[in-house]
Amino acid sequence: MVIPETPGSKIVAPLGDASAAAGHTGGLSARMSEGRTAGAALPEGSPNGDARTAFWLMAPALALYAVFTLLPIAATFWLSFNSSAGFNTSASFVGVGNYAKAAQDPIVWKSLVHTFLWLAYHVVMAGGLGLLLALAVSTLRITQVFFRTAFFLPHLVSLAVVGVIWANIYDPFFGLLNTALTRVGLGAFTQGWLSDPALVLFSVNVASSWQGFGLYMLLFIAGLQNIDHSLYDAAEVDGANAFQKLIYVTLPGLREVTTFVVSLAMINGLKGFATVFVMTNGGPFYQSELITTYIYRLAFQSQDHGLAAVLCILLSLLAIAITIVFNRWRARLSQ
Amino acid sequence: MLKFLARGTALAAMIAASSLAHAETLKMWGPEQITEPLVAQLWNGIKADFEKANPGVTVEFMPPTGTISNGAVQAAIQSDAGPDVILTNSGIGRISVVKNAKQVMPLTDQYEKRGWKDKIYPWLYTELKGQFGGEIYEVPDGLDALGIWYHKDLFEQAGWKIPATWTEFEALMKSIGETGLQPIAIGPRTTGSAGHLFGNLLQSASGKDVIGKALRREIAWDDPSVAAGAIRLQKLVEAGYIKKEMAGLDLDGASRLWFNKRAAMFVAGPWFTANARKAGYDLANAGYAPMPSDIKGAAMPTGGVGWSWLVPVNSKQPELAMKWIDFMLSDAVMKKRAQDPASTMIYPREIPGVEPPTPVLKDIFAAAAGGVGYNPSVYLPGTVLDTYFQVIQGLISGQIGGEDGMKQLQAKMAEAK
């Protein structure tokens, strides 16, 4: 069997010799290799032949990807250069007219700023809370399963339902939050959580983060379990206190999980829509408008599909830019 | 015996095949409150009567999950798996959204062919004909008449009454506020609720004629004569008669405030009887009055077409949809609905000899008998509505002044076709 050359490797060896070449003279892998070579020989093929086989094997998936992902992206791109009032309406080419319109629309800029803020809030609040609770829960012995389950439960509730629940919690007159603050003598801290322009985006994000933190917590718990316990023993021998162990052992040990959680939180943050739509519909006076909610408003309420398509392109570019920056940061971190 | 069995089976199969061939399903996007038992009972009765009158037809209700205002109707039509006939909130502003997107059929020919023209008020037909250059896309099912709802018992105990003038009304709100009650509740997170109070204020401050001119674009929305209503709302917020926190409430939240008697007044239409029933509120205690005004004759409910039937262009059963609308406009169904305890609206034509099922509906019908003013929520172009509702939220949350708000509205009106 000729193993195709891959960059950085020049292995040309029979499969049966692979384990021997790697220094294994026996064991399961060697026996498996022997079994394979002892039976019908694998067909030999040129790299081109393998590529053709791979192509045909991937063809169904590629076709689905083209129909359900590439085609809609292309259609959105096409739509962004057209003026269309929506369903069944013949589109007319307007060039970059929609892009110019978007650039001049103050709500687009406002929603862009809100989207960045939303992203940051979600990463810090949902990711941060997930980490804190993972640290707390992982120290428990008997009740760990109970708390893990309890904290994960909000993640099972749909975002729309979460929105309704939290809108009621924030109700300025009957809501749990203001009522509780008043009952404990902190009436001065009661707020119009969904009406105050400075608070509304944060308030809605709390609801969204509450729904999301459970998943991040589980990921962090899994990461904590992978940290070699002997490192803690060594730190203790060196006289490290709990805080030092957290800074010098736990957090570095969670580096991989943290980058994964941050990327996941960013993806979820960019997709932020349901809680805003249910709790404020982007208001009051556009103070919680995100790019996603504005796209919905334009496409389905105002039927301005051209402008909505421009914002879809903008959102995609934003996602790509964030991905590139994040990946570079992650690569630098792992060096 | 075997031959007999075989023939019988073949006959049964033929009958089954024949009935299958005639079996038709009409998917209907129903009234908002169809999950309420009383409303469901009425509509299931109508459905049964229609199915009886049209053998082989099954009516399937699609419980609505939104309206044109929040895009749900458009999304349902666009899905191509949506309804064959829709009952939804309407008015020229909303209808223009689905009409411009070519999502609904023109029904003008049907008005002549099926006699619908004679089954609605003549003034209503004239109004519909004037909206889209003679083409009509809706069949009105109910009209709205928005005014102040108040608690009779609270008002009697405190010796309050809804006055005739705005000046006295401000004094009333001051008195109510001093008792710790919220003078007026509003839930502007729900677009309708935002528009109900604001439309009342606009008319009270400017009169029906001025608002009509603004809607017909004969006068700018930032003209002082029109902007007066927005400035009035700004002042009510500044005086604390409408709490800024209310900008975070939706219709349910604001209704809850009123039903629990934490708020003295609420602006709503006849449909509010359904919300009241759902909340277990004693409708006998509900009073209704138009918003006071210093302008002679301006103290009247605002309104317009509230609910209409639409037929999507991709209706799988357009002919059956037309039959359904015929049926809904028939004397029998209209009388049945008007007398039913679930009745919540003013019907699109006079129905003689029908006693409204609740006293508050009687009050509303009496107040609306002299005509209704304009509720801009149903008359403004669809592309302007969003700005309209956001400006109201901005006014209530204290982010924008009345004049600035109306300037933004006028800018959007200038852009709209």
Side-chain angles (χ1 to χ4, degrees), chain A residues 85 87-89 167-168 171-174 192 194-195 197 278-279 283-287 296-297 300-301 303 305, chain B residues 69-71 74 78 97 100-101 182 189 244-245 247-249 256-257 262 313 386 390 393-394 397 399-400 408:
Chain A
F87 188 65
N88 270 357
T89 307
N168 282 303
D171 185 304
F173 300 97
F174 297 99
L194 298 180
S195 58
V278 171
M279 293 174 74
F285 199 49
Y286 307 107
Q287 288 300 341
Y296 182 89
R297 195 191 289 282
F300 295 105
Q301 287 172 255
Q303 300 285 316
H305 289 193
Chain B
S69 304
N70 64 15
Q74 296 91 304
Q78 219 144 312
V97 173
N100 290 341
Q182 301 297 325
R189 260 176 52 210
K244 283 182 180 175
E245 287 84 349
L249 291 182
R256 189 160 52 219
L257 206 57
R262 295 262 304 263
V313 287
D386 189 52
Q390 290 289 338
Q393 288 188 357
S397 57
Q399 296 181 65
I400 193 168
Q408 292 203 16

Side-chain angles (χ1 to χ4, degrees), chain A residues 221-270:
Chain A
I221 288 175
L224 286 170
Q225 285 168 346
N226 280 337
I227 298 174
D228 186 350
H229 207 269
S230 63
L231 293 172
Y232 289 104
D233 296 338
E236 256 175 45
V237 170
D238 286 346
N241 59 28
F243 182 72
Q244 285 167 324
K245 280 191 274 185
L246 173 72
I247 298 295
Y248 297 112
V249 180
T250 308
L251 294 183
L254 287 175
R255 188 181 287 163
E256 286 299 314
V257 178
T258 305
T259 53
F260 179 64
V261 165
V262 170
S263 65
L264 203 61
M266 287 205 295
I267 291 164
N268 287 337
L270 270 182

Side-chain angles (χ1 to χ4, degrees), chain A residues 10 34 39 107 149 169 172 175 178 194 203 258 260 263 315:
Chain A
K10 284 202 171 200
E34 279 164 19
I107 303 162
T149 313
I169 290 173
N178 277 357
L194 298 180
S203 303
T258 305
F260 179 64
S263 65
L315 189 65

Side-chain angles (χ1 to χ4, degrees), chain B residues 301-326:
Chain B
T302 57
V305 181
W307 292 86
S308 289
W309 293 101
L310 311 175
V311 182
V313 287
N314 55 356
S315 170
K316 309 280 186 301
Q317 298 282 2
E319 188 54 34
L320 211 49
M322 303 304 170
K323 268 191 187 175
W324 173 266
I325 297 173
D326 274 344

Side-chain angles (χ1 to χ4, degrees), chain A:
Chain A
M1 173 74 184
V2 177
I3 298 172
E5 272 189 34
T6 54
S9 75
K10 284 202 171 200
I11 304 167
V12 181
L15 266 178
D17 297 342
S19 54
H24 297 286
T25 52
L28 183 63
S29 58
R31 284 198 297 277
M32 283 171 70
S33 298
E34 279 164 19
R36 269 184 275 166
T37 48
L42 285 170
E44 290 196 5
S46 66
N48 284 344
D50 285 349
R52 266 200 300 275
T53 310
F55 174 79
W56 286 114
L57 286 171
M58 286 195 301
L62 280 174
L64 288 173
Y65 184 71
V67 171
F68 292 108
T69 307
L70 299 180
L71 202 63
I73 290 173
T76 305
F77 197 63
W78 173 82
L79 200 57
S80 72
F81 294 104
N82 286 276
S83 168
S84 162
F87 188 65
N88 270 357
T89 307
S90 54
S92 55
F93 186 74
V94 291
V96 291
N98 286 326
Y99 287 85
K101 201 169 151 189
Q104 288 161 8
D105 185 343
I107 303 162
V108 169
W109 294 105
K110 207 173 210 179
S111 58
L112 192 62
V113 171
H114 290 161
T115 301
F116 279 116
L117 274 174
W118 177 268
L119 205 67
Y121 286 152
H122 189 73
V123 170
V124 172
M125 283 199 288
L129 189 60
L131 175 62
L132 286 178
L133 288 173
L135 291 171
V137 166
S138 62
T139 59
L140 301 171
R141 288 178 187 275
I142 304 164
T143 52
Q144 192 180 124
V145 175
F146 169 77
F147 280 106
R148 268 194 206 188
T149 313
F151 289 138
F152 186 71
L153 276 179
H155 193 67
L156 302 177
V157 183
S158 89
L159 277 168
V161 175
V162 167
V164 174
I165 293 169
W166 276 85
N168 282 303
I169 290 173
Y170 285 141
D171 185 304
F173 300 97
F174 297 99
L176 180 71
L177 191 51
N178 277 357
T179 307
L181 285 169
T182 308
R183 290 269 168 88
V184 297
L186 297 172
F189 292 96
T190 57
Q191 301 287 337
W193 303 99
L194 298 180
S195 58
D196 188 328
L199 270 180
V200 60
L201 194 67
F202 177 81
S203 303
V204 179
N205 199 287
V206 167
S208 181
S209 298
W210 177 81
Q211 196 265 358
F213 81 86
L215 177 67
Y216 308 140
M217 179 197 72
L218 283 192
L219 291 169
F220 278 122
I221 288 175
L224 286 170
Q225 285 168 346
N226 280 337
I227 298 174
D228 186 350
H229 207 269
S230 63
L231 293 172
Y232 289 104
D233 296 338
E236 256 175 45
V237 170
D238 286 346
N241 59 28
F243 182 72
Q244 285 167 324
K245 280 191 274 185
L246 173 72
I247 298 295
Y248 297 112
V249 180
T250 308
L251 294 183
L254 287 175
R255 188 181 287 163
E256 286 299 314
V257 178
T258 305
T259 53
F260 179 64
V261 165
V262 170
S263 65
L264 203 61
M266 287 205 295
I267 291 164
N268 287 337
L270 270 182
K271 290 195 299 186
F273 173 82
T275 36
V276 174
F277 187 71
V278 171
M279 293 174 74
T280 63
N281 196 17
F285 199 49
Y286 307 107
Q287 288 300 341
S288 59
E289 195 79 272
L290 302 178
I291 294 280
T292 46
T293 54
Y294 198 40
I295 288 171
Y296 182 89
R297 195 191 289 282
L298 289 167
F300 295 105
Q301 287 172 255
S302 303
Q303 300 285 316
D304 189 345
H305 289 193
L307 190 53
V310 170
L311 295 195
C312 288
I313 302 286
L314 175 70
L315 189 65
S316 305
L317 291 176
L318 199 64
I320 292 167
I322 288 173
T323 308
I324 291 170
V325 171
F326 178 75
N327 279 335
R328 285 197 175 165
W329 170 73
R330 192 166 61 172
R332 196 175 296 168
L333 205 69
S334 58
Q335 275 171 6

Side-chain angles (χ1 to χ4, degrees), chain B residues 11 28 34-35 55 81 107 133 178 190 205 237 242 297 336 352 366 371 378 386 392 415:
Chain B
L11 186 67
M28 200 205 101
I34 202 155
T35 48
L107 301 170
E178 282 165 359
T190 305
V237 173
I242 294 176
K336 182 176 183 166
V378 299
D386 189 52
I392 299 170
E415 277 176 26

